[in-house]
C-alpha cells in the first residue's frame, strides 16, 4: 500500500493580515488536494484541538510531513520560525508568495539569507495546485547550500546572533559574552560584515547554544532583522540546540517561540537576564575558553 504524500501548510491568519484572499486560496487548494490528488494536506488551523499546545502540534505535523508549504507573503514570524524548523528536518519545501500584495516581493528580497531561494507565486487555489506539481521529489535546499553533513563538530558553547541596529543592549550583550569564559562565536557587525545562509546554518550546527537578539520595531531594519531571527531560531530549535531569544519590552511574542524568549527593560536588565539563563542552562563543553 502506497502511503499518501503529506503536505503541511503554514500561513498567517486572515484576522492578523486583514486579508482573506490568501487563506481562502490555501484552504480551497487543501480541499482539492485531499479530494483529487494522491496527497494528504492539512494546515495549522486543522490542529487547533481543545487541550493541546498548538506549537507542539504544529512541530509534530512538520516532523511527520513530506512537504512543508508556507505562505511568505506577509513574512509572518511564526511562519518563518516553522520554515526554519522544516529546513532543519530536511523537508521538501513549497514556498508561496502573492506578489500582487503591496511590497510582498520587495520584503522577501530584504531577507538577505532568503533572497536567492526560489519561491512560487500565487493568487488563487488554481495557482497553488499548478505550482505544487513543480515541487522537487526530494529535499534539496541543504544540498544546494552544500550542507551535506549535518553532524558538524561542536566547536562553540554559544553562537550569538545580533542584528544591524547596534543598540546599547546589543553592545552590552556582546561585551558581556566577550568577557565571559564561554567559547562564543559572534554574528555582530564588528565581527563579520556578511554571513551567507549556509554559514548561518553551519554556525548554528557548530554550537550547543544559540542566543538570538530581536530588535525594537521602531528601528528601520527591524522588519528584515526580526524575520531573519525567527527563521534562524526555528532552524536551531529543529536541530535540538538550546535557544534563547532576547527581546526588548514591549514585544508581542509569536506563539511559536514565546517559551524560549526573555523580554528585558533596558541594557542592564538584558545582560542580567542573559547571565541568569547562562548560569542555569549553559555548561561549557569545549576545551578552550573565551570568545572567537
Amino acid at each position: 500500500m502506497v502511503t499518501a504524500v503529506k503536505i503541511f501548510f503554514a500561513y498567517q491568519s486572515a484576522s492578523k493580515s486583514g486579508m482573506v484572499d490568501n487563506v481562502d486560496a490555501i484552504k480551497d487548494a487543501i480541499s482539492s488536494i485531499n479530494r483529487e490528488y494522491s496527497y494528504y494536506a492539512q494546515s495549522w488551523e486543522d490542529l487547533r484541538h481543545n487541550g493541546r499546545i498548538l506549537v507542539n502540534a504544529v512541530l509534530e505535523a512538520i516532523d511527520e510531513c513530506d512537504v512543508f508549504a508556507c505562505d511568505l507573503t506577509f513574512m509572518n514570524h511564526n511562519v518563518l520560525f516553522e520554515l526554519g524548523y522544516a529546513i532543519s528536518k530536511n523537508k521538501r519545501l513549497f514556498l508561496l508568495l502573492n506578489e500582487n500584495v503591496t511590497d510582498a516581493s520587495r520584503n522577501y528580497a530584504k531577507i538577505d539569507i532568503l533572497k536567492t531561494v526560489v519561491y512560487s507565486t500565487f493568487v488563487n487555489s488554481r495557482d497553488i495546485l499548478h505550482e505544487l506539481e513543480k515541487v522537487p521529489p526530494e529535499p534539496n535546499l541543504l544540498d544546494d547550500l552544500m550542507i551535506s553533513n549535518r553532524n558538524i563538530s561542536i566547536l562553540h558553547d554559544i553562537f550569538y546572533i545580533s542584528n544591524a541596529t547596534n543598540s546599547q543592549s546589543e553592545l552590552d550583550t556582546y561585551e558581556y559574552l566577550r568577557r565571559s569564559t564561554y567559547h562564543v562565536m559572534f554574528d555582530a557587525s564588528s565581527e563579520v560584515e556578511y554571513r551567507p545562509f549556509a554559514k548561518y546554518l553551519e554556525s548554528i550546527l557548530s554550537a550547543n547554544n544559540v542566543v538570538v537578539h530581536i530588535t525594537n520595531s521602531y528601528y528601520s531594519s527591524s522588519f528584515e532583522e526580526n524575520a531573519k531571527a525567527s527563521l534562524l531560531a526555528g532552524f536551531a530549535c529543529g536541530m535540538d540546540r538550546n535557544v534563547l531569544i532576547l527581546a526588548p519590552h514591549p514585544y508581542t511574542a509569536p506563539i511559536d517561540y514565546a517559551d524560549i524568549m526573555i523580554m528585558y527593560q533596558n541594557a542592564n536588565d538584558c545582560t542580567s537576564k542573559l547571565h541568569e539563563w547562562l548560569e542555569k542552562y549553559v555548561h561549557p563543553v569545549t576545551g578552550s575558553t573565551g570568545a572567537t
Side-chain angles (χ1 to χ4, degrees), residues 226-282:
N226 293 346
K228 180 172 72 175
S230 299
L231 187 149
L232 294 174
F235 180 84
C237 285
M239 296 308 302
D240 296 322
R241 292 331 188 237
N242 195 22
V243 181
L244 171 66
I245 297 176
L246 293 168
H249 181 83
Y251 178 79
T252 303
I255 189 172
D256 280 0
Y257 54 75
D259 288 345
I260 58 172
M261 192 182 80
I262 291 177
M263 278 194 287
Y264 58 86
Q265 297 288 341
N266 51 48
N268 287 337
D269 190 41
C270 179
T271 54
S272 175
K273 288 179 175 177
L274 173 62
H275 174 79
E276 292 176 5
W277 184 84
L278 294 173
E279 288 288 303
K280 185 173 182 180
Y281 295 108
V282 178

Side-chain angles (χ1 to χ4, degrees), residues 34 48 55 106 129 138 155 158 169 172 204 214 229 242:
N34 289 333
R48 294 189 296 186
V55 62
R106 185 180 304 172
L129 297 175
E138 299 292 337
L155 301 174
I158 302 166
S169 60
D172 286 6
I204 289 170
I214 294 288
N242 195 22

Side-chain angles (χ1 to χ4, degrees), residues 5 8 22 33 93 97 113 130 138 171 174-175 190 192 200 216 222 225 236 241 247 252 254 277 280:
V5 173
F8 180 78
N22 281 17
I33 289 168
L93 302 178
L97 197 76
I113 61 174
H130 176 71
E138 299 292 337
L171 175 60
Y174 173 82
E175 293 296 339
S190 59
V192 58
Y200 270 109
N216 266 308
S222 64
E225 291 295 325
R241 292 331 188 237
T252 303
W277 184 84
K280 185 173 182 180

